[in-house]
Structure formats: C-alpha cells, structure tokens
C-alpha cells in the first residue's frame, strides 16, 4: 500500500478525537528481518515485538532503499496494530509499519527518539 502525498497538499478532512482513537498505533522492536525478493518494490519482511499486550506481529515494509537488515534489527518502530491482516504475495502482513516519504519517495521509518516501553500507544 503506497499512500504518498505531496507535502504541499492541505490537511485531510477534519475528524473527531474518537475517530483518532480507533487507530491503535503502538511502538515495537524489530527482532527479525527477512528478505522479500518476490515483492514488487524493494521490501523486507519484519518481525516486530510489541510486548505483552499485542505480542509479536509481522509486517511487509518497503524500506529496502534506505535500510539494511543490520540497521533495522533492534530498531524501535511505530505501527498500526488493529488493521485486518493483508495478503502481500505469499506473505501475510499483520501490522502497518509507519513511515514518511523523503524527497525521492523512499520510506523513512517513524520511531520515537527515546526509549519507550514496547506496546506503548501513540496519543
């Protein structure tokens, strides 16, 4: 899923705070990175530990342009954990790992700039 928008676009339509709370964004630690050669765009299969409440989930992430398995493993990332699983080729992606496009459209991962507990929810 690629949702790139022009940074000059106006904000999306106004939503209520209750709508925001429906999106469950948690922090997790990447504990394993596997190649995903069959993906259409350069990607990795990530295994992410979100701690006791959410557990370990898997995600396909189109981040191979800027990251290597070595720079990803152990990294804290943010992900939407309450979307339904999505089949991507032969892989079932269970969470949506979040990032922003850089000037060339490559995905830059969204993560906290200090340590927080695994499973902490964004608010």
């Amino acid at each position: 899923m690629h949702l790139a928008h022009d940074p000059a676009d106006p904000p999306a339509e106004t939503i209520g705070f209750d709508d925001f709370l429906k999106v469950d964004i948690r922090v997790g630690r990447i504990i394993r990175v596997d190649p995903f050669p069959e993906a259409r765009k350069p990607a990795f299969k990530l295994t992410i530990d979100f701690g006791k409440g959410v557990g370990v989930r898997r995600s396909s992430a189109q981040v191979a342009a800027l990251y290597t398995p070595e720079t990803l493993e152990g990294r804290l990332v943010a992900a939407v954990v309450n979307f339904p699983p999505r089949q991507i080729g032969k892989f079932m992606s269970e969470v949506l790992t979040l990032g922003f496009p850089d000037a060339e459209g490559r995905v830059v991962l969204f993560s906290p700039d200090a340590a927080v507990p695994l499973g902490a929810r964004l608010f």
Side-chain angles (χ1 to χ4, degrees):
M1 174 186 311
H2 185 64
L3 302 174
H5 297 280
D6 185 328
D9 286 347
E13 71 178 80
T14 300
I15 63 170
F17 190 69
D18 288 343
D19 292 322
F20 170 73
L21 291 177
K22 291 177 184 176
V23 181
D24 192 352
I25 301 172
R26 305 283 185 109
V27 68
R29 184 175 309 283
I30 299 172
I31 58 173
R32 182 176 169 160
V33 181
D34 293 304
F36 196 1
E38 59 273 22
R40 279 183 268 151
K41 294 184 179 180
F44 292 117
K45 298 174 187 176
L46 307 178
T47 303
I48 306 168
D49 181 3
F50 292 96
K52 201 172 190 176
V54 176
V56 174
R57 304 276 179 96
R58 299 191 71 204
S59 179
S60 167
Q62 295 176 352
V63 297
L66 293 178
Y67 301 93
T68 64
E70 295 77 23
T71 61
L72 289 170
E73 212 165 286
R75 181 184 185 96
L76 291 177
V77 292
V80 176
V81 299
N82 66 331
F83 283 158
R86 185 164 182 235
Q87 189 78 40
I88 302 174
K90 294 180 180 180
F91 181 74
M92 185 64 72
S93 188
E94 300 169 308
V95 300
L96 175 64
T97 304
L98 301 175
F100 295 99
D102 70 6
E104 285 82 43
R106 301 170 299 189
V107 177
V108 177
L109 289 170
F110 178 61
S111 61
D113 62 1
V116 296
L118 296 183
R121 187 170 180 179
L122 179 73
F123 61 85

